[in-house]
Every structure is written in structure tokens, then in C-alpha cells.
């Protein structure tokens, strides 16, 4: 029993020493259009709809969504506290590919 406990402690310490302190996952290349989404503004209001477009400069400048009434709402990025998009199979595959690449980078050399 003592040997198992010592092996576990050694493995745990080795894992802490060899693991990176911080790692970043590559972001998704673009926000998928026509996907269900929600936006929580800095004032706390929540909007739901489908992504219609987004303005890009150095980063996303604004996101336009279409609500259930068909009304298009353009929200500047500075007014967005939280933004969520329902994943499609393609987005999930892209995230899986990116995470595999990230794991490969961490385990390499």
C-alpha cells in the first residue's frame, strides 16, 4: 500500500513540474452566421436571436443579430458583456482540431 501511495505522490509531483503554468487555446476563426445566439449588454439586458453579421476591424467592432420578430439589432462591441453562439457540427470540429493541436504543442519537446 505504501508503494502505491508513494508512486501516486511522485506521479502527481511530476505532473505539476512538467505541466505548463498557462496555455491558451486558439480562438475560432469567425462567428458562424445564422446560428442562434445571445448577447448580454453591459447594462444587463439580454437579447436573443440569430447572428446576421459582424463588423471587423482590429477585432470585432459590432455584432448584428435578428430577433424572433425579424428586427435587426446592431450592438457595438463596447456594449457587450457576454456573447454566446450555439455551436454547429462544423464549429465543434474546428474546436476539436484546435484543441488537438494545442495538446500536441504541450506534449512536444
Amino acid at each position: 500500500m505504501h508503494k502505491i501511495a508513494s508512486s501516486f505522490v511522485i506521479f502527481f509531483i511530476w505532473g505539476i513540474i512538467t505541466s505548463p503554468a498557462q496555455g491558451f487555446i486558439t480562438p475560432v476563426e469567425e462567428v458562424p452566421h445564422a446560428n442562434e445566439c445571445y448577447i448580454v449588454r453591459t447594462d444587463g439586458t439580454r437579447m436573443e436571436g440569430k447572428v446576421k453579421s459582424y463588423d471587423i476591424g482590429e477585432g470585432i467592432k459590432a455584432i448584428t443579430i435578428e430577433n424572433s420578430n425579424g428586427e435587426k439589432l446592431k450592438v457595438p462591441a463596447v456594449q457587450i458583456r457576454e456573447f454566446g453562439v450555439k455551436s454547429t457540427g462544423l464549429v465543434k470540429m474546428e474546436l476539436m482540431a484546435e484543441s488537438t493541436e494545442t495538446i500536441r504543442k504541450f506534449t512536444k519537446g
Side-chain angles (χ1 to χ4, degrees):
M1 184 66 162
H2 179 68
K3 189 173 185 176
I4 294 172
S6 329
S7 298
F8 178 74
V9 170
I10 290 170
F11 179 72
F12 182 74
I13 292 171
W14 177 78
I16 291 172
I17 293 170
T18 60
S19 67
Q22 185 176 20
F24 295 98
I25 296 175
T26 308
V28 177
E29 294 298 320
E30 63 181 57
V31 178
H33 291 278
N35 280 26
E36 294 177 26
C37 71
Y38 71 90
I39 293 176
V40 178
R41 298 178 102 155
T42 52
D43 66 3
T45 56
R46 180 182 172 104
M47 297 183 278
E48 295 184 9
K50 293 189 176 194
V51 178
K52 289 316 256 179
S53 66
Y54 48 96
D55 299 337
I56 298 178
E58 291 182 21
I60 295 177
K61 302 289 185 187
I63 298 173
T64 303
I65 66 170
E66 184 177 340
N67 66 16
S68 59
N69 298 332
E71 182 182 3
K72 292 183 182 177
L73 308 164
K74 185 174 184 174
V75 184
V78 296
Q79 293 180 6
I80 298 174
R81 183 175 71 201
E82 186 177 327
F83 176 61
V85 180
K86 186 175 181 180
S87 290
T88 62
L90 185 58
V91 172
K92 289 177 185 176
M93 283 180 20
E94 184 176 347
L95 289 173
M96 198 175 344
E98 293 295 339
S99 64
T100 304
E101 183 62 29
T102 301
I103 291 169
R104 191 173 317 167
K105 287 178 185 175
F106 285 136
T107 58
K108 203 174 191 181

